[in-house]
Amino acid sequence: MRIARLDRLDAARCAAWPAAPRDDAPAYTRRDFLRGAAVLGGGAIAAGLAMRVSSAEPLATMPVPRHDHAGGQGSMVFQSGHTMRGARTMPPGAPADDQVTYREFDMTFELVEHEVLPGVRFPVFAFNGQVPGPVFRVQENDWIKVNITNKTEEMHTIHWHGVDVIYTMDGVPMSNQDPVHPEEVFTYRFQARPAGTRFYHCHWGTPLHMMSALHGAFIIDSPDDPIRRAFPYTRDYVLMLEAFDVNMTRQGIDDLLSGMKQVNQLIARRRPSHLAHGFFRNYQEFLKAIDAGWRPPYLAGMANPAAAEIRPNFFAINGKSFPATMEHGHIKIRSGEYIRIRLINGGVFDHHMHLHGHQFWKVAEDGNPLPQPLRLNTVPVTPGKTVDIIVFGDNPGFWDFHDHKESQSRNNGVYPGGMITMLEYEDMGEVPYVPSISINQ
Amino acid sequence: MSKIKTHLKIGGALVLSLLVQRGAFALELDPAIFPEFTIGGRAVATVNAEAMETAGGGDEQDAKLDIGDSSLLLGFSKYLFKPGQYAYAGLGLRVAEEQRDIAQGMFLSQAYAGIGGPRYDLVMGRHRLPNTLLHFPVLREDDLLDFSVVANASSVSSAEEDQVFGNLVQAAWWWRPAWKFDAALTGRAERDVGGALGAQDFNGASIGLAYQLPTAFKVARGLRYAAVRIDQQNARAVAGLDNVAVSSLLAALSYHLNDDPESDWAADVQAIVRSGVDVASLTNPAARARAAFTSVTAALRYAHRPQLQTRWRAALLAAWQNYGDFNEANALLAGASYVYRLGSGVDVAAQYFYRRNDDVLAAALGYQSDHRVQVGLVFAFDMIFNESVAERGGLLDFEHHMGGSGPAGLGE
Ligand SMILES: [Cu+2]
């Protein structure tokens, strides 16, 4: 099933890509490799799935969807008398260590204080304690193993956004895995595919956790990347676009840490109460709980529309707001050079990235190459999206590259700030005007 | 750019100015900073039924509606230039308890301004006095006032206006997040027979040391609060009583009794000891506040919280007081309070108290014993707008030393 689906995707992608010949040899080689990998890993995958559907058959060959799954089956959350503190969890479904070669990564969920701008510090959850999380650069079809340790008192997961993982590794709490509990080590295993600009983020309490600031780039390279063939770029930049509601984040994290003290206490007493955290085996159980007098938290929110609002006051690129974006330096280019810029929306707000003095090519969206590159100077990067652009160095100078939703080019309402950085030619020699910094206009 | 400017002026004592400016263009931004704004309040309406045995042995019964202790509080806070430093102001109005000698509708309970940082706080103005260590789970402030608060030796009124609130300048310092030292200069109301308020001089001082670990932060069993305080009053001449110094020692403990956040047990106890000075009788509140005195107040609290959602709370209370220089004149109080949650901040509340005075105290107070039942509704809310100042009392500050600082006790 998996191979069939890949073929369709591949056909759709390659047929329309002008600079990439459709039927080149590497593509076939890659497919052959995939077929081989699936055969190797097939036994383990089937065994893993069998546990869940009570069937020896792989899902792909099942004639009709079955409806007899018991909600919550396989979850520890509904089992009494257990604790998940310090557990080591490795869901089934991925090949064994001796069947494929894993590229292994150790990561952490941490609570840290992040400085988005001098004088503006606020607490965030962060992968490995850094904002954004570390950039993964892997090759297409690499088998990936990520051991993540939860060093916070709150629960988290990792969702591999735009990566076609095994479903038990998709990181959606209570949909396909239990949330990763405090001190738990959870291992994600999957094959990195398809190639392209992808990302990862926490999927527990997503609005808060993903925004502040559990997000990072997951770049899957491929030796037969059609974009590289069409545009022989020499440098590759990753820009994570972020929106921070500093007050909501601080208050939210404070509140939920307090709440988790009690939940963690119940778990420590081996009396986890799934209702206490709003977990239900199925919809009927949810309705029954409400009938029995359990109060869904969203009812409290109805009285307070202000609490539902997310009002970001700091906007950032790779964790920093202008002028602190300068800590990363300018985006460098030389005359006659192609560079690739990968834009990733790490939050839940729209960003409209505008580059001065250039018409760039938008070459990929959601990590997938476009049928036709688009010539643009402003590109929207909406929530959940990644956009790849190619800039050609044909207009030497210093050029603003910023969110043209100008309300977001501000620091706490003061313009200019936020999502502003600069494209700088390295080969200009003496120039008549060199940028300085202005932060209050 | 629009500007709205509002001035609130209360008795000339405090001017709070709110400036709202849309769009931050100004080179000088300061006046445009909109403060965090808290509006909190509590409406308490109960039907009270009282059966009293008078000092002469007669019976008196009474039933009435009581809205005393209902209150409204406005709080404001904002950050200062220096990172992590804040300023705040509070303004509180309160419905006076009934049957009090000076009760007059609403009174200004609080009007204060303060500044602070991650580990210190300085507040000045009219404020809750540092004359008690615990807030017991009772419906109204005055239900236990005789037992749980160091009384004002400069006022002939036993009303809350004079007993609970007063002027102060208070500095607090936390050298560990859970450890606090504070010192205050206090100005208790000076009120003589006739009801007129005297000069608003400083007439006392207080120092305190407290360990406080909020239950919300450590759910397991254990000590949550321990504190001692020395309260010194230079009592002014009222009702024929002389200027005199009166010292009191307070000590309190709060202990969390179990490990289950779904059914939560806790016990509180507070003792007050005052060496006292000679007074002729206990009839006058100012005289009682000067006499040698010992009191112990204790509560056993329970919160029923299935799935961590509070449904009801109950408490058993007991208190005892003793005037050593008056032939061990004493009083006992026992009671229970119950609060059933109907909605967020909306409770049905019921409370019963029985108090028995010994003969000496009965003669001074005019009654031997008293049964008091209160049943009613409580509507409480606490709404924060423009939330921007972190809480020092938050878990982030308490455990992680980040994001913290911000007014302590705003809204009390
Ligand atoms: Cu998370």
Side-chain angles (χ1 to χ4, degrees):
Chain A
M1 172 199 77
R2 194 164 277 146
I3 287 167
R5 194 176 45 166
L6 261 186
D7 278 345
R8 276 202 308 281
L9 279 176
D10 234 23
R13 182 181 97 182
C14 295
W17 187 257
R22 156 88 184 82
D23 289 316
D24 54 342
Y28 282 111
T29 309
R30 187 164 57 89
R31 262 178 247 153
D32 288 342
F33 169 72
L34 267 179
R35 216 167 264 132
V39 169
L40 272 178
I45 292 168
L49 292 171
M51 273 182 53
R52 279 172 168 48
V53 299
S54 313
S55 159
E57 294 173 323
L59 280 175
T61 61
M62 282 165 52
V64 287
R66 299 179 54 160
H67 297 288
D68 57 351
H69 306 302
Q73 185 188 322
S75 169
M76 295 288 281
V77 164
F78 301 108
Q79 295 174 18
S80 56
H82 77 274
T83 173
M84 287 163 78
R85 186 175 285 271
R88 293 193 69 95
T89 307
M90 188 184 288
D97 283 358
D98 57 0
Q99 290 178 304
V100 295
T101 304
Y102 281 105
R103 294 186 65 183
E104 194 162 353
F105 303 88
D106 290 328
M107 293 180 78
T108 51
F109 295 111
E110 294 180 34
L111 172 65
V112 297
E113 199 164 30
H114 176 64
E115 188 179 75
V116 68
L117 198 62
V120 182
R121 298 170 69 83
F122 66 110
V124 293
F125 294 122
F127 288 109
N128 291 10
Q130 66 185 68
V131 180
V135 177
F136 281 76
R137 292 212 80 120
V138 300
Q139 290 296 315
E140 189 173 32
N141 298 322
D142 280 353
W143 279 93
I144 307 299
K145 183 189 278 189
V146 175
N147 309 303
I148 183 138
T149 305
N150 185 354
K151 293 187 169 178
T152 74
E153 286 288 296
E154 164 66 326
M155 304 184 192
H156 309 278
T157 67
I158 310 181
H159 168 58
W160 309 93
H161 187 104
V163 186
D164 297 344
V165 298
I166 298 155
Y167 95 94
T168 49
M169 314 292 166
D170 195 41
V172 186
M174 306 323 287
S175 286
N176 48 49
Q177 70 161 89
D178 287 352
V180 184
H181 283 58
E183 290 175 30
E184 183 180 351
V185 183
F186 191 99
T187 300
Y188 289 93
R189 294 176 296 169
F190 57 90
Q191 199 174 21
R193 60 185 179 76
T197 303
R198 320 218 165 256
F199 66 109
Y200 62 99
H201 63 81
C202 179
H203 217 294
W204 174 265
T206 312
L208 173 69
H209 287 228
M210 179 177 71
M211 279 179 70
S212 308
L214 290 167
H215 52 242
F218 197 89
I219 311 299
I220 308 177
D221 289 316
S222 167
D224 59 342
D225 179 5
I227 296 170
R228 192 187 283 272
R229 264 201 300 274
F231 302 97
Y233 63 88
T234 40
R235 277 183 277 194
D236 189 339
Y237 298 90
V238 177
L239 270 57
M240 183 65 76
L241 310 179
E242 298 151 318
F244 297 121
D245 182 338
V246 168
N247 299 321
M248 179 204 77
T249 297
R250 186 171 46 218
Q251 197 59 43
I253 290 180
D254 204 54
D255 287 350
L256 67 84
L257 288 180
S258 311
M260 283 304 293
K261 286 277 182 202
Q262 300 179 34
V263 172
N264 289 335
Q265 171 76 1
L266 287 178
I267 293 171
R269 284 167 53 82
R270 296 181 179 271
R271 275 203 33 219
S273 161
H274 60 275
L275 263 181
H277 217 122
F279 294 133
F280 304 91
R281 286 181 184 82
N282 49 47
Y283 187 63
Q284 282 68 30
E285 192 182 288
F286 168 68
L287 294 178
K288 240 169 78 187
I290 292 177
D291 280 348
W294 180 82
R295 297 185 295 270
Y298 55 75
L299 288 178
M302 287 170 71
N304 183 11
E309 269 178 50
I310 301 176
R311 293 179 299 172
N313 42 2
F314 291 91
F315 301 88
I317 297 173
N318 292 342
K320 295 289 175 180
S321 300
F322 177 83
T325 46
M326 294 305 140
E327 290 177 22
H328 301 304
H330 295 162
I331 298 171
K332 299 288 175 51
I333 193 169
R334 299 177 77 86
S335 296
E337 180 186 7
Y338 288 102
I339 61 168
R340 180 174 185 165
I341 302 177
R342 301 170 190 262
L343 302 165
I344 302 174
N345 191 326
V348 297
F349 289 82
D350 297 344
H351 306 293
H352 298 78
M353 297 306 290
H354 172 55
L355 177 62
H356 292 209
H358 293 75
Q359 309 303 319
F360 55 75
W361 290 273
K362 176 180 169 180
V363 290
E365 191 175 317
D366 290 350
N368 303 324
L370 294 178
Q372 291 283 353
L374 279 174
R375 211 78 203 273
L376 303 170
N377 56 54
T378 307
V379 63
V381 189
T382 49
K385 285 291 195 183
T386 74
V387 169
D388 290 36
I389 63 171
I390 298 286
V391 181
F392 182 62
D394 59 2
N395 191 6
F398 294 97
W399 301 103
D400 257 28
F401 186 37
H402 66 96
D403 189 351
H404 216 285
K405 196 166 184 177
E406 297 286 5
S407 57
Q408 302 179 158
S409 307
R410 303 188 299 172
N411 294 327
N412 207 15
V414 180
Y415 180 88
M419 223 170 260
I420 300 176
T421 185
M422 187 168 274
L423 180 73
E424 176 188 343
Y425 280 71
E426 288 177 311
D427 52 353
M428 287 186 288
E430 277 302 304
V431 290
Y433 195 90
V434 179
S436 54
I437 302 272
S438 162
I439 61 150
N440 182 20
Q441 295 169 12
Chain B
M1 187 172 86
S2 70
K3 239 183 198 182
I4 308 159
K5 198 171 184 180
T6 315
H7 285 285
L8 269 170
K9 225 177 201 178
I10 305 292
L14 182 78
V15 179
L16 292 167
S17 124
L18 274 184
L19 275 152
V20 185
Q21 184 177 354
R22 299 210 172 276
F25 296 93
L27 290 170
E28 185 69 49
L29 289 165
D30 310 343
I33 301 297
F34 186 57
E36 180 177 300
F37 173 42
T38 306
I39 178 162
R42 186 167 172 266
V44 193
T46 58
V47 173
N48 298 0
E50 201 170 359
M52 185 187 281
E53 186 192 345
T54 61
D59 283 338
E60 269 180 28
Q61 266 121 36
D62 190 18
K64 65 176 183 213
L65 190 84
D66 186 359
I67 55 165
D69 246 24
S70 298
S71 62
L72 191 63
L73 189 114
L74 307 178
F76 307 87
S77 45
K78 57 162 80 171
Y79 280 120
L80 302 178
F81 294 134
K82 205 173 167 194
Q85 316 282 305
Y86 58 85
Y88 63 106
L91 191 63
L93 294 171
R94 217 170 160 93
V95 177
E97 302 274 7
E98 286 195 33
Q99 288 193 320
R100 287 303 190 192
D101 30 21
I102 56 165
Q104 298 280 337
M106 291 196 89
F107 67 96
L108 179 72
S109 56
Q110 312 199 63
Y112 55 80
I115 55 167
R119 295 289 168 257
Y120 80 95
D121 195 277
L122 176 75
V123 63
M124 49 208 302
R126 181 165 165 81
H127 195 271
R128 200 171 267 280
L129 286 164
N131 59 0
T132 182
L133 294 170
L134 285 173
H135 292 280
F136 286 92
V138 293
L139 252 179
R140 289 197 169 80
E141 199 90 42
D142 77 338
D143 293 332
L144 280 176
L145 213 55
D146 282 3
F147 297 85
S148 64
V149 166
V150 175
N152 181 355
S154 301
S155 171
V156 298
S157 167
S158 54
E160 275 178 297
E161 286 100 307
D162 291 3
Q163 299 296 333
V164 175
F165 303 99
N167 294 337
L168 57 67
V169 176
Q170 184 173 43
W173 174 52
W174 288 258
W175 76 94
R176 293 270 190 285
W179 286 93
K180 172 181 156 184
F181 173 80
D182 66 65
L185 277 176
T186 54
R188 284 172 161 93
E190 294 168 13
R191 198 184 302 268
D192 211 334
V193 184
L197 203 56
Q200 303 276 299
D201 296 338
F202 286 116
N203 54 18
S206 160
I207 54 169
L209 177 67
Y211 167 79
Q212 184 167 20
L213 182 66
T215 299
F217 299 171
K218 191 168 189 307
V219 186
R221 173 197 339 222
L223 186 68
R224 289 290 164 272
Y225 181 75
V228 290
R229 178 172 295 285
I230 295 168
D231 179 270
Q232 171 77 21
Q233 295 184 62
N234 298 320
R236 296 311 159 97
V238 287
L241 300 159
D242 293 336
N243 288 340
V244 67
V246 182
S247 311
S248 304
L249 174 69
L250 297 86
L253 287 177
S254 180
Y255 197 87
H256 198 80
L257 295 166
N258 70 337
D259 286 336
D260 185 356
E262 291 187 306
S263 52
D264 212 20
W265 287 93
D268 306 317
V269 60
Q270 177 182 275
I272 299 174
V273 178
R274 182 170 60 231
S275 52
V277 295
D278 285 341
V279 289
S281 87
L282 293 176
T283 313
N284 190 309
R288 289 201 296 278
R290 297 167 182 223
F293 172 82
T294 307
S295 76
V296 178
T297 310
L300 180 65
R301 289 181 280 129
Y302 174 76
H304 185 62
R305 309 180 65 231
Q307 289 96 44
L308 303 177
Q309 297 187 334
T310 301
R311 299 300 172 86
W312 53 266
R313 286 164 291 149
L316 289 173
L317 295 117
W320 168 80
Q321 61 179 225
N322 174 286
Y323 292 90
D325 291 345
F326 286 83
N327 204 18
E328 306 296 331
N330 65 77
L332 272 172
L333 180 142
S337 68
Y338 178 82
V339 167
Y340 181 83
R341 182 161 283 188
L342 294 175
S344 175
V346 185
D347 297 320
V348 176
Q351 186 172 284
Y352 165 74
F353 274 134
Y354 170 71
R355 175 174 173 153
R356 176 151 201 95
N357 299 315
D358 80 338
D359 293 343
V360 180
L361 216 48
L365 298 175
Y367 69 102
Q368 191 84 51
S369 69
D370 179 35
H371 295 270
R372 197 171 183 207
V373 176
Q374 306 180 50
V375 180
L377 285 173
V378 179
F379 181 105
F381 69 99
D382 196 0
M383 185 70 207
I384 304 177
F385 300 90
N386 190 37
E387 193 155 359
S388 53
V389 180
E391 284 175 71
R392 190 206 353 264
L395 196 57
L396 278 168
D397 182 47
F398 198 85
E399 276 193 355
H400 304 279
H401 312 295
M402 63 172 75
S405 95
L410 192 69
E412 240 190 18

